[in-house]
Amino acid sequence: MNILSKMLEPIPVPRMVRIRQKFDDMKLENPARVLEEKLQAAPAMDGIKPGQRVAVAVGSRGIANIVSLTKTLIDAIKERDAKPFIVPCMGSHGGATDEGQKEVLEHLGITEESVGAPIESSMEVVKLDQLENGLPVYVDRIASEADAIVVINRVKPHTAFRGTVESGIMKMISIGLGKQKGAEACHQLGFAHMAENVPKMAKVMMGKLPILFGVALVENAYDETCRIEVLAADEVEAEEPALLVEAKARLPKLLFPHIDVLVIDYIGKNISGDGMDPNVTGRYPTPYAHGGPEVGKMVVLDLTPETKGNANGVGTADFTTSRLVEKSDWPVTYANGLTSTVCAPTKIATTLPSDRDAIKAAVKTCNILDYTTCRMVRIKDTLHLGEIEISETLLEEARRHPDIEILTEPYELAFDESGYLVK
């Protein structure tokens, strides 16, 4: 037993209870069919002409139904006798390499076979213009040479700033289509100015590029598509803010405002740009965003396979595991910080040999007098908050909440012989 495990040996791990948090579960029963109908009725589709090469910009997040929705969009373009192709639209993700970004899409299920269009991936950019503050505006070279461009993305709150436009179509254009250099330029002056620079860059790009429309998606708290809008380029600025308001209202959350220890099984870029959504955890990488619970100590245990070693966000936690650190691709992770200019999330949190030790370390340091009273919450990741685990000490509070259902009696967490949770 090493010295840290020995120090932590007497610290109790709370008994847990599985609960169900209830949110508005309104969803589209057939999102692909809804998109098909919206595209058939969209005047912007008339901008697609026979024989044109149409760039379809697709990002790197774990968006619900992204494969079927992308295929529906591709099929609609083909019906116009045009030639669609996929452009990875993800700033610096995928290690800021051509092949890395293509692999990110493949991990999301987006391949030439699954959507019926080739993927043309390049980090080469063209400078379009610059803002009045001097920031250059870049665009993916391949997309810039297309006859038309369409964008598909989820609208949701950003993890590091607040504005009328946050994550959505305009950010997908300004940062996603801008590739690594465009993302770097947009972040150059820091997150204090992102609410201003994201839409300004997007407007420049929409004015100078053949961007026809954006497919805007809104998801409910269960990571299911609940709204789809096809917005013409000249509608995006006016319509996207209302979709953001709806997305914020539907954001999943933890129904406990005060948590001593928050345990997160997985973080990853497919979950959130910050590995885990700060809107859920209450831990933000900058002072320009706010909201969520008050959390004493936070533990992250592992990386998703889809993140391909990108551990961005681990530095926002207090504790992590040797397993996560060993899986991490640190150059890829650090590229995130260098591009965004926010480097705290790419630091390595205090690292313990196992899940058990990391959880015990959080309990020991959460500043409570009696460790047996620890208010602990465990979640799989910040996208899935329907069924979660809470410590026995939160049981009475849970019973009083109208949107919580108790699913089990209290039980001990099970660890294997190496101290990792049995999942």
Side-chain angles (χ1 to χ4, degrees), residues 16-19 256 265 376-379 387-391 394 411 413 421:
M16 303 298 283
V17 177
R18 180 161 288 275
I19 67 168
F256 302 91
D265 286 359
M376 190 166 94
V377 173
R378 178 189 172 198
I379 62 177
E387 289 192 16
I388 65 173
E389 291 176 297
I390 63 171
S391 60
L394 285 167
Y411 53 85
L413 287 175
L421 283 162

Side-chain angles (χ1 to χ4, degrees), residues 264 267 298-303 314-315 317-325 328 330 347-355 357-359 361:
I264 303 174
I267 65 171
M298 189 161 69
V299 185
V300 296
L301 303 179
D302 203 352
L303 297 179
V314 67
D318 301 288
F319 299 99
T320 191
T321 64
S322 298
R323 174 182 56 195
L324 183 149
V325 171
S328 299
W330 293 109
K347 295 178 180 179
I348 302 175
T350 300
T351 305
L352 280 299
S354 67
D355 293 347
D357 283 351
I359 292 169

Side-chain angles (χ1 to χ4, degrees), residues 3 16 33 92 95 119 176 221-222 256 306 346 363 380 391:
I3 187 171
M16 303 298 283
R33 179 59 184 162
S92 65
I119 299 173
Y222 299 99
F256 302 91
E306 294 86 352
T346 65
V363 173
K380 176 185 176 183
S391 60

Side-chain angles (χ1 to χ4, degrees), residues 264-402:
I264 303 174
D265 286 359
Y266 294 99
I267 65 171
K269 294 292 289 185
N270 60 308
I271 303 297
S272 169
D274 288 88
M276 54 209 163
D277 192 341
N279 296 294
V280 171
T281 67
R283 292 281 188 94
Y284 291 88
T286 77
Y288 309 111
H290 53 82
E294 178 185 321
V295 173
K297 290 294 189 289
M298 189 161 69
V299 185
V300 296
L301 303 179
D302 203 352
L303 297 179
T304 63
E306 294 86 352
T307 199
K308 295 184 65 64
N310 191 326
N312 186 44
V314 67
T316 314
D318 301 288
F319 299 99
T320 191
T321 64
S322 298
R323 174 182 56 195
L324 183 149
V325 171
E326 290 165 4
K327 286 183 178 180
S328 299
D329 184 329
W330 293 109
V332 166
T333 302
Y334 296 152
N336 242 102
L338 293 176
T339 299
S340 70
T341 74
V342 181
C343 299
T346 65
K347 295 178 180 179
I348 302 175
T350 300
T351 305
L352 280 299
S354 67
D355 293 347
R356 179 167 50 209
D357 283 351
I359 292 169
K360 284 188 172 189
V363 173
K364 185 181 189 304
T365 60
C366 73
N367 302 120
I368 56 176
L369 188 61
D370 181 355
Y371 297 138
T372 65
T373 66
C374 179
R375 297 164 57 89
M376 190 166 94
V377 173
R378 178 189 172 198
I379 62 177
K380 176 185 176 183
D381 56 55
T382 55
L383 280 181
H384 300 95
L385 301 179
E387 289 192 16
I388 65 173
E389 291 176 297
I390 63 171
S391 60
E392 194 173 10
T393 50
L394 285 167
L395 194 49
E396 286 307 313
E397 184 176 334
R399 286 192 177 114
R400 293 194 300 269
H401 200 293

